[in-house]
């Protein structure tokens, strides 16, 4: 698809990045950047239909140019012209709205049409009713690079949502954007850039990742296992998008780092901090999804790192490290046999609740499930108190997934019940003097503990033992 209307294309000196094109959504009511390339020292004139004055700039000696432009709250489609002595570019149907970048691995990449034998629930009706000129989509296709590149060359350009393009678009991103557009009643732009099976190291810049590990990819074949090559996806699928002004980021990744939870807790916040620094627009919202339960082989692993409860714990801990962040818990909507749970709309809903409450100041919208706050040993059991349970705790039937241990660090299955809607009491006849509780501490579990808005609690533990065992 041709994204930029150019006259005298062959002779044109001014060039724009792929992300800057007709049909794009510019972040509303703020200062955005336009940039590109031209001949050295070329004089460029930018005119818009919403600014009274034209913008005059000159490319530098290397031909790079950029400028800041003020946007408004108008929802009327706008036009931008960029001209020089030998160039004329017209960008039409440009709108102001909310721009979100959506990234991660296969659960973000999963489209509305799903994977082979792995559906996305609700996709057929969603695709059929998807036509919306105020929801715009841009997709960066899979590519890696050993060095940062200035422009994406594999992409599907800005287009208005319709049945022909949403079926292949990220389901989580689409469900989020569709509802955000309807609620705010303004245009929404979604930039999708993800790759299934990718490790967080691949999405990090060299200057940050090299603080944690040695980066030596000069002699690596970039075409093989690209999604595992450190910095490769950042260089080709993130760097070219900077400094396109965004409102925030949605992130769904972690499965490929499941065997290194302690390391992930260091890398992920460092990645977020670096992206924010490189965009240079402050600590924009960063909302991410905790990996869902799935039967990774042996469901009896407990203390071993193969137990993904440790990765979920690390992701939960990142909330305290990453400012202006929020996490979606998926403990109740996993799939035992599929690493790609089909309930993507539920994931998007919970991301949306974070955005509405924390970014768009809809204070009445609950956005966070119960998080353990304190414990008290009493009555031969342990009472657990939670924050983010403003109206109390809830379970559909019986609380399950709790285990309790004494000083011997051996965990036994425990009975748990909600006390007066506020606390959870955990006990076992096999543990007379309990000292620690774990909840949902397995690869495959189904969460049973919620707040009254049905936002689930994450896996958690009250201990920090490295040598705990489970009762046989």
């Amino acid at each position: 698809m041709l994204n930029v209307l150019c006259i005298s294309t062959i002779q044109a000196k001014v060039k724009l990045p792929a992300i800057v094109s007709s049909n794009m959504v510019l972040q509303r009511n703020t200062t955005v950047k336009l940039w590109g390339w031209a001949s050295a020292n070329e004089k460029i004139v930018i005119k818009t239909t919403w600014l009274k004055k034209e913008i005059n700039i000159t490319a530098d000696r290397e031909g790079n140019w950029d400028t800041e432009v003020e946007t408004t709250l108008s929802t009327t489609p706008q036009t931008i012209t960029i001209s020089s002595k030998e160039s004329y570019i017209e960008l039409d149907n440009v709108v102001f709205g909310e721009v979100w970048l959506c990234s991660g691995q296969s659960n973000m990449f999963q489209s509305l049409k799903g994977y082979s034998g792995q559906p996305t629930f609700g996709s057929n009706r969603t695709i059929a009713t998807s036509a919306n000129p105020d929801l715009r989509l841009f997709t960066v296709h899979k590519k890696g690079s050993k060095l940062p590149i200035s422009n994406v060359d594999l992409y599907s350009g800005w287009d208005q949502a319709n049945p022909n393009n949403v079926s292949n678009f990220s389901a989580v991103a689409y469900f989020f954007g569709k509802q955000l557009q309807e609620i705010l009643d303004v245009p929404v732009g979604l930039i999708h850039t993800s790759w299934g099976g990718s490790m967080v190291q691949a999405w990090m810049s060299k200057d940050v990742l090299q603080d944690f590990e040695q980066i030596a990819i000069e002699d690596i074949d970039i075409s093989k296992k690209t999604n595992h090559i450190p910095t490769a996806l950042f260089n080709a699928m993130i760097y070219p998008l900077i400094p396109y002004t965004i409102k925030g980021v949605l992130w769904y990744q972690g499965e490929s780092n499941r065997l290194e939870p302690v390391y992930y807790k260091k890398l992920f916040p460092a990645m977020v901090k670096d992206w924010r620094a490189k965009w240079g627009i402050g600590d924009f919202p960063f909302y991410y999804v905790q990996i869902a339960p799935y039967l990774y082989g042996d469901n009896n692993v407990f203390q071993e790192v193969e137990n993904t409860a440790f990765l979920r714990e690390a992701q939960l801990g990142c909330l305290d490290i990453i400012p202006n962040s929020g996490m979606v818990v998926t403990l109740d909507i996993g799939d035992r046999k599929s690493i790609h749970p089909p309930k993507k709309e539920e994931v998007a809903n919970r991301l949306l609740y974070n955005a509405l409450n924390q970014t768009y100041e809809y204070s009445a919208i609950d956005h966070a499930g119960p998080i353990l706050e304190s414990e008290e040993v009493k009555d031969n059991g342990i009472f657990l108190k939670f924050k983010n349970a403003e109206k109390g705790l809830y379970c559909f039937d019986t609380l399950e997934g709790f285990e309790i241990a004494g000083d011997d660090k051996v965990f036994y299955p425990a009975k748990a019940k909600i006390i007066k809607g506020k606390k959870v009491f955990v006990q076992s006849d096999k543990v007379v003097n309990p000292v620690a509780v774990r909840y949902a501490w397995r690869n495959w579990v189904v969460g049973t503990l919620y707040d009254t808005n049905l936002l689930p609690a994450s896996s958690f533990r009250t201990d920090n033992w490295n040598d705990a065992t489970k009762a046989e």
Side-chain angles (χ1 to χ4, degrees), residues 191-368:
I191 303 170
H192 173 224
T193 176
S194 65
W195 192 323
S198 57
M199 301 187 74
V200 71
Q201 291 93 325
W203 297 102
M204 298 177 68
S205 68
K206 181 179 180 179
D207 54 324
V208 168
L209 185 56
Q210 67 186 2
D211 291 338
F212 298 93
E213 60 186 61
Q214 184 177 359
I215 311 300
I217 62 174
E218 294 80 8
D219 298 325
I220 292 179
D221 183 352
I222 197 72
S223 66
K224 297 179 180 179
K225 295 185 177 179
T226 312
N227 54 353
H228 280 211
I229 297 176
T231 76
L233 305 191
F234 172 84
N235 291 338
M237 299 177 66
I238 295 296
Y239 183 82
L241 305 176
I242 305 170
Y244 195 88
T245 305
I246 59 175
K247 185 66 172 185
V249 169
L250 307 180
W251 176 259
Y252 196 165
Q253 188 273 336
E255 293 89 349
S256 290
N257 292 91
R258 68 185 182 90
L259 299 181
E260 47 185 16
V262 175
Y263 194 32
Y264 190 83
K265 191 175 178 180
K266 298 176 182 178
L267 294 179
F268 179 44
M271 186 203 80
V272 176
K273 184 177 180 180
D274 184 43
W275 283 21
R276 287 170 167 170
K278 285 181 167 53
W279 250 278
I281 52 176
D283 286 347
F284 51 72
F286 205 106
Y287 302 130
Y288 60 98
V289 184
Q290 188 182 60
I291 64 170
Y294 166 64
L295 186 58
Y296 290 92
D298 185 2
N299 204 43
N300 289 317
V301 294
F302 185 70
Q303 188 61 45
E304 299 88 342
V305 72
E306 289 84 359
N307 181 355
T308 49
F310 287 100
L311 193 280
R312 294 194 293 267
E313 179 186 52
Q315 291 177 308
L316 178 63
C318 288
L319 276 176
D320 296 326
I321 303 172
I322 304 171
N324 198 16
S325 66
M327 187 187 76
V328 167
V329 176
T330 58
L331 207 63
D332 59 328
I333 52 176
D335 189 303
R336 183 175 184 271
K337 297 182 179 180
S338 176
I339 200 171
H340 305 121
K343 296 182 178 180
K344 291 295 185 282
E345 186 170 9
E346 287 84 346
V347 174
N349 288 346
R350 293 171 185 179
L351 285 167
L352 179 72
Y353 301 152
N354 273 278
L356 290 176
N357 180 283
Q358 299 189 86
T359 301
Y360 298 106
E361 299 180 355
Y362 281 65
S363 59
I365 303 299
D366 188 9
H367 71 288

Side-chain angles (χ1 to χ4, degrees), residues 380-399:
N380 295 322
I382 297 180
F383 287 87
L384 304 175
K385 183 180 179 181
F386 297 83
K387 58 183 178 180
N388 300 336
E390 296 84 358
K391 294 294 183 179
L393 303 168
Y394 179 79
C395 70
F396 283 100
D397 189 7
T398 303
L399 286 179

Side-chain angles (χ1 to χ4, degrees), residues 74-94:
S74 172
T75 56
T76 302
Q78 308 288 342
T79 299
I80 303 172
T81 62
I82 304 172
S83 59
S84 67
K85 185 177 181 180
E86 297 181 353
S87 308
Y88 181 84
I89 301 173
E90 182 175 299
L91 310 179
D92 58 14
N93 197 24
V94 175

